[in-house]
Amino acid sequence: ARSAADRGKDTVADRFLAVAGPSGAGKSFTTAIMRAMLPPAEHQILECLASDFGSTPTALDFAVKYLLDPIGGDASNLPPLEKANSSDNAWLNYQFIGDLLAEMDRARDERMIWLVLDELDDAVLPDQGQVRKLLDLIYTRAQNTPWLRIVLLGLDAAPVPNTATRTTQDFVGYQDEAALANDVIDYLV
């Protein structure tokens, strides 16, 4: 709720929401709760399944499938790697990420964008590769992008060093069976 109310740079510190817990605890249900709470005229939820990232091997593939197509963005505004005269790291850092965020900003139509990355506890993202590098750049730029929120389902840590103060963390689950039983009893009473 604090993140949804933020409409300007540095007005609310929460840019990330990390939801962790044991398998089957309902972390993915967070997306359904968000869809029910956030009016679609003001918010756009972009859901990405980590298990599906293998089908999007390049940053451009990922950006088109998960970031631009759902909001009606135009991928032709993005610089292709083939036309860059630099390494893919330099291309991502100095050309692609800026143009991608500018196109998302244009296409979002004043809506807050919620990038939901699910199954982060089930699928392991490689430390290298364009998609991982793009996600790291998005995490870093989120701090200065007031219309972007990142929801990490299954990740129990802040995604970027020094962002713990800007990350709301929630653990879905109970420490033991007694705590679960007490919660159920309280609910029924």
Side-chain angles (χ1 to χ4, degrees):
R2 287 189 311 269
S3 291
D6 183 11
R7 291 294 181 207
K9 184 180 178 193
D10 297 328
T11 58
V12 173
D14 298 341
R15 295 284 193 251
F16 301 94
L17 171 61
V19 180
S23 180
K27 298 176 293 290
S28 295
F29 188 61
T30 300
T31 307
I33 293 170
M34 291 172 58
R35 289 189 195 285
M37 289 181 58
L38 302 172
E42 298 173 19
H43 300 272
Q44 176 80 37
I45 298 171
L46 309 178
E47 189 174 5
C48 311
L49 301 177
S51 61
D52 193 33
F53 287 177
S55 67
T56 56
T58 69
L60 181 59
D61 294 336
F62 182 87
V64 169
K65 180 176 182 178
Y66 291 114
L67 306 177
L68 294 179
D69 282 354
I71 63 172
D74 185 2
S76 69
N77 293 329
L78 301 179
L81 176 59
E82 299 80 38
K83 293 187 179 178
N85 57 357
S86 62
S87 69
D88 66 339
N89 280 339
W91 168 75
L92 279 168
N93 279 303
Y94 302 111
Q95 293 177 319
F96 190 79
I97 187 66
D99 289 351
L100 172 62
L101 291 175
E103 179 57 24
M104 289 177 68
D105 191 17
R106 186 201 61 74
R108 72 184 177 90
D109 196 28
E110 299 301 317
R111 293 172 293 182
M112 173 103 44
I113 300 293
W114 296 80
L115 177 58
V116 178
L117 302 175
D118 198 356
E119 300 178 347
L120 294 175
D121 53 346
D122 296 330
V124 178
L125 296 178
D127 287 337
Q128 298 300 316
Q130 287 186 8
V131 172
R132 177 57 181 261
K133 291 174 188 174
L134 176 61
L135 288 173
D136 288 343
L137 288 170
I138 290 171
Y139 298 156
T140 303
R141 299 276 180 113
Q143 299 172 57
N144 297 316
T145 309
W147 49 264
L148 180 63
R149 298 293 176 274
I150 299 173
V151 181
L152 305 160
L153 303 180
L155 188 68
D156 57 359
V160 179
N162 302 319
T163 61
T165 58
R166 292 179 293 281
T167 302
T168 298
Q169 295 181 309
D170 188 22
F171 182 82
V172 180
Y174 297 92
Q175 278 71 23
D176 55 35
E177 294 293 321
L180 173 61
N182 286 336
D183 190 40
V184 170
I185 291 168
D186 287 345
Y187 174 77
L188 293 174
V189 168

